[in-house]
Amino acid sequence: MDTPVETPVTNALFQPYTLRSLTIPNRIWMAPMCQYSAEVFGPNAGVVNDWHFSHYTSRATGGTGLILVEATAVSPEGRISIADLGLWNDTQVEALRPITAFLKERGTVPGIQLGHAGRKASTEQQWLGSGPVPPERHGWQTLAPSPLPFDEEYPEPEELTTDRIQEIVGQFAAAARRALSAGFEVVEIHGAHGYLIGEFLSPHTNHRTDEYGGSFENRTRFALEVVDAVRAVWPEDLPLFFRISATDWLTENTEDEREGWTADETVRLAALLREHGVDLLDVSTGGLVPHARIPTGPGYQVPFATRVREETGLPVAAVGLITEVRQAEKIVANGEADAVLLGRELLRDPYFARRAARELGADLQMPPQYHGAAPHRAA
């Protein structure tokens, strides 16, 4: 059971955190995780439904400070799977408003991740195999900086022209406007996990010879153009996040530094993102190639976030096998990250924040409907 309301906050996880004018009530945040459950065809394609409402509102009732709604495509062809959410029309906006309203009512900050899947688009729902969807099953032509398929069974993507690149930049900005209209207070640009922005960043997937390929400056151009376009339409008083794979785990396993995106480049980009108006870096790793050797373990990605924070001053959120209350508390208390983003642990335990408050003796307000279960009440 939760501690009484009058108990003072005395630990790091339950200290509020302010970015621009927005104050997030605690440092336990929900990472974006695809549900692959939207309508696939017709006028309601990409629209949230009762599953999404239940999924997100239960974590808000559980005390999560910030919820980042799953990767939401800026265009139909930008969806990871055929059943992903989208924000390319107003029907999708209207359907999201009840979710953002409920989250705010419960004191949770609603955020959303905007993305384009690039060469990893047009896939089946995860529990049906996750492979590419063929044209006869309403699959579509994928897009990428270079015509390099994700894996052997994936089709070759179409190489983007500079005009198409600019069109996608505009789609990110339009989706950010819709996110604001839907009631979100944080927007995160998805530049991680081998999706389109990450494909531009890594020399492994970007073989272009124009102004979008080759040098670090050219490979980061698209990411910064998207950030600038979104920041231009996103309110000055609301924060903008960027999610990155700090490494695609190729260079770390080879002597050839040309193989992939590196932690050093992540630090360089983080400094630029800060200059371009990004308020927090959500630091993950991997996803660019299907068979990278990744040395996983509890908190294995946290050092990448810590390095960005220490070397650039940009606030960071850590993610990746953070599953225990004391582990999460240590990460924030020691200054390794400004917040923790929980993924699978919040799928297992939607009330993780309430459990953490009990364990740490923190104040976490209960919904009035649950006051009968407060610890000062009779059992």
Side-chain angles (χ1 to χ4, degrees):
M1 291 182 291
D2 290 17
T3 54
V5 172
E6 62 269 21
T7 302
V9 175
T10 56
N11 56 73
L13 276 181
F14 290 93
Q15 295 291 340
Y17 191 61
T18 298
L19 290 166
R20 298 192 184 237
S21 70
L22 184 69
T23 297
I24 303 168
N26 62 54
R27 313 297 183 94
I28 299 173
W29 302 350
M30 182 174 174
M33 292 174 284
C34 289
Q35 297 298 292
Y36 308 108
S37 297
E39 186 71 32
V40 176
F41 309 115
N44 288 325
V47 174
V48 294
N49 53 41
D50 288 347
W51 171 261
H52 300 93
F53 186 89
S54 175
H55 172 65
Y56 290 112
T57 59
S58 63
R59 275 78 191 170
T61 301
T64 307
L66 164 70
I67 289 176
L68 286 171
V69 167
E70 63 205 79
T72 301
V74 300
S75 66
E77 64 272 15
R79 289 173 292 171
I80 301 168
S81 86
I82 59 175
D84 275 18
L85 298 186
L87 255 184
W88 62 79
N89 64 45
D90 291 341
T91 300
Q92 295 158 344
V93 172
E94 290 293 333
L96 284 163
R97 284 177 178 154
I99 294 177
T100 59
F102 187 98
L103 267 56
K104 291 175 184 178
E105 180 185 334
R106 290 270 35 89
T108 295
V109 171
I112 190 168
Q113 183 186 74
L114 303 178
H116 190 297
R119 69 177 188 167
K120 293 175 70 176
S122 189
T123 63
E124 187 56 90
Q125 290 162 285
Q126 191 176 52
W127 50 86
L128 296 179
S130 298
V133 176
E136 60 269 22
R137 287 261 296 114
H138 303 281
W140 59 89
Q141 174 64 55
T142 58
L143 306 169
S146 300
L148 305 169
F150 175 63
D151 204 1
E152 292 179 357
E153 74 271 20
Y154 280 70
E156 182 178 295
E158 178 183 331
E159 182 172 311
L160 286 163
T161 65
T162 54
D163 286 345
R164 291 295 300 277
I165 290 171
Q166 291 307 305
E167 180 183 342
I168 293 171
V169 171
Q171 289 169 345
F172 271 93
R177 288 193 192 95
R178 292 191 178 98
L180 182 67
S181 178
F184 290 100
E185 297 175 307
V186 172
V187 155
E188 176 174 274
I189 296 169
H190 197 353
H193 301 157
Y195 298 118
L196 186 61
I197 293 176
E199 291 164 19
F200 272 91
L201 294 178
S202 178
H204 187 83
T205 46
N206 183 347
H207 293 185
R208 300 176 72 96
T209 57
D210 62 2
E211 66 269 33
Y212 289 97
S215 68
F216 170 86
E217 290 74 18
N218 285 354
R219 286 183 285 112
T220 58
R221 188 183 306 277
F222 176 58
L224 294 176
E225 287 181 346
V226 170
V227 167
D228 288 344
V230 171
R231 185 76 268 182
V233 301
W234 191 244
E236 184 67 23
D237 63 337
L238 292 178
L240 172 63
F241 291 6
F242 190 97
R243 184 169 231 194
I244 194 165
S245 285
T247 173
D248 41 37
W249 296 107
L250 292 175
T251 300
E252 281 68 12
N253 293 297
T254 178
E255 294 179 359
D256 186 354
E257 293 187 358
R258 295 171 300 174
E259 277 296 312
W261 179 258
T262 69
D264 289 345
E265 289 177 309
T266 291
V267 172
R268 289 180 64 187
L269 179 58
L272 292 173
L273 291 171
R274 187 180 187 188
E275 293 174 4
H276 284 252
V278 168
D279 299 288
L280 181 139
L281 195 66
D282 171 359
V283 184
S284 187
T285 66
L288 186 77
V289 296
H291 306 300
R293 299 194 305 271
I294 302 176
T296 60
Y300 71 103
Q301 296 175 147
V302 174
F304 294 101
T306 304
R307 182 180 172 194
V308 168
R309 190 175 190 264
E310 291 177 345
E311 296 187 26
T312 70
L314 181 65
V316 297
V319 64
L321 288 179
I322 301 170
T323 59
E324 302 294 335
V325 171
R326 299 288 175 174
Q327 175 197 20
E329 169 68 13
K330 174 181 172 293
I331 290 168
V332 177
N334 289 355
E336 298 170 65
D338 298 281
V340 291
L341 277 160
L342 303 184
R344 292 177 177 87
E345 188 58 28
L346 272 175
L347 298 184
R348 290 185 284 264
D349 181 5
Y351 284 65
F352 180 93
R354 298 201 173 277
R355 177 161 61 85
R358 292 196 302 271
E359 187 171 326
L360 298 172
D363 172 13
L364 187 58
Q365 181 67 55
M366 295 186 79
Q369 295 90 339
Y370 291 177
H371 277 183
H376 62 277
R377 300 283 186 174

